[in-house]
Amino acid sequence: MTYPGGDHLSKKVFIPHGYPLILRLLLAVICLSVMGFACPKSCHCSERNGLTVVQCSSRNLVEIPPDLPHDTVSLQLSSNRITKIPNQAFKNLPWLQELDLSRNAIETVDAGAFQGVTESLRALDLSHNHMQSIPKEAFARLHAKISLSNNPWYCECTLQEVLRELWLDPETVNEVSCHTSVQEEYAGKPVTQVLDSGINFCNFHHKTTDVAMFVTMFGWFTMVIAYVIYYVRHNQEDARRHLEYLKSLPSSSQISKDFDTISTVL
């Protein structure tokens, strides 16, 4: 039998012989319709050991198909135009073991992208994409062998912490390179080679943070000093003007002399 789109279906449709012919035909149509919806229109589905293999490579897809068969064991999505792996993209695929997302345009992987398949997934290919960084939570509790080669990675503390928790594909691990780095001297070098040499990107991160804090504190200190100087100078000017004003007033002795002169005249 085949799916409505022409894909082969190896699973048999069982219709009890005791049903009237018209009812049996109706049930057959319903079963075929349900099975047709189980395989995405743009993909090809086949069977492996009673489970489903979904082939969606090179289909010009821009997102992960939402209507994947529940019993999918292998999902091939390579060579498409997918740009993002959203949260819980595979939550309804508890049997998923192989996931190929290589040669797409993936830039963003949400923190909960692989929720629901962390225990079942055995192989994950994210090579040849556009990823520069990934959140630490994205691969939490993931036990799969992962390929991350040929991505424009930005080497810094978060990436270092992520990679040290992963089981990287040994055949492509040396192709996971720093496209850019918190320290420019490491750009273009394999990440594992840099880390194995004893470099700790997290130290650079802390140093950068310390410098930023020092600059901020110095700026505040400079502002306080400038205000104090302004305040003192401003008050000195007021004090000088007040003193000149007091000096311009007639003294008490001069007032007494003027009073005696007036009394004499009178």
Side-chain angles (χ1 to χ4, degrees):
M1 294 182 185
T2 60
Y3 288 112
D7 293 334
H8 290 286
L9 172 65
S10 58
K11 297 180 181 179
K12 296 180 179 179
V13 179
F14 175 73
I15 305 296
H17 292 286
Y19 284 83
L21 179 59
I22 185 65
L23 183 57
R24 289 165 58 187
L25 290 174
L26 180 61
L27 287 174
V29 171
I30 293 174
C31 289
L32 288 175
S33 298
V34 171
M35 290 180 182
F37 283 117
C39 188
K41 182 178 179 181
S42 58
C43 304
H44 172 81
C45 296
S46 58
E47 185 181 353
R48 180 199 294 175
N49 299 326
L51 297 174
T52 303
V53 175
V54 183
Q55 177 58 254
C56 303
S57 298
S58 303
R59 303 299 173 100
N60 208 33
L61 301 176
V62 295
E63 63 180 5
I64 298 169
D67 52 346
L68 294 164
H70 184 72
D71 62 346
T72 299
V73 67
S74 178
L75 177 57
Q76 307 297 314
L77 288 164
S78 63
S79 302
N80 284 293
R81 297 189 295 121
I82 299 170
T83 59
K84 178 180 180 180
I85 307 178
N87 285 321
Q88 300 183 338
F90 313 101
K91 66 176 182 178
N92 295 322
L93 307 177
W95 305 104
L96 187 63
Q97 296 182 12
E98 301 172 0
L99 176 58
D100 187 355
L101 284 158
S102 63
R103 300 184 184 280
N104 277 277
I106 298 171
E107 297 179 350
T108 305
V109 179
D110 285 348
F114 301 105
Q115 287 182 3
V117 296
T118 54
E119 297 297 329
S120 63
L121 199 60
R122 293 294 174 263
L124 172 62
D125 194 345
L126 289 168
S127 62
H128 296 275
N129 278 286
H130 300 164
M131 296 183 294
Q132 297 184 21
S133 62
I134 39 180
K136 291 186 291 186
E137 300 81 7
F139 297 139
R141 297 182 297 279
L142 203 62
H143 305 295
K145 180 173 66 175
I146 303 175
S147 178
L148 297 173
S149 61
N150 296 291
N151 279 280
W153 295 113
Y154 172 63
C155 290
E156 41 76 49
C157 184
T158 301
L159 182 63
Q160 171 182 307
E161 293 179 345
V162 169
L163 294 182
R164 284 184 168 170
E165 298 297 324
L166 298 181
W167 176 22
L168 296 176
D169 180 8
E171 296 182 3
T172 61
V173 66
N174 290 326
E175 297 174 17
V176 182
S177 300
C178 301
H179 182 70
T180 55
S181 173
V182 66
Q183 291 289 98
E184 293 183 3
E185 61 198 85
Y186 302 116
K189 295 183 178 180
V191 181
T192 53
Q193 178 182 322
V194 174
L195 297 179
D196 289 345
S197 68
I199 299 301
N200 188 337
F201 290 118
C202 294
N203 285 344
F204 297 133
H205 174 75
H206 294 322
K207 289 179 180 178
T208 302
T209 303
D210 292 342
V211 170
M213 290 180 62
F214 174 78
V215 171
T216 303
M217 292 177 64
F218 181 77
W220 279 105
F221 181 74
T222 302
M223 290 177 60
V224 171
I225 295 298
Y227 176 77
V228 170
I229 293 174
Y230 168 79
Y231 180 80
V232 170
R233 287 183 176 178
H234 181 75
N235 280 275
Q236 283 181 338
E237 184 65 22
D238 287 347
R240 184 183 64 77
R241 287 198 297 266
H242 185 67
L243 182 60
E244 290 177 352
Y245 170 75
L246 292 177
K247 287 181 178 179
S248 67
L249 295 176
S251 63
S252 57
S253 59
Q254 182 63 40
I255 294 175
S256 298
K257 289 180 180 181
D258 293 343
F259 183 76
D260 291 341
T261 300
I262 293 173
S263 299
T264 302
V265 172
L266 293 174

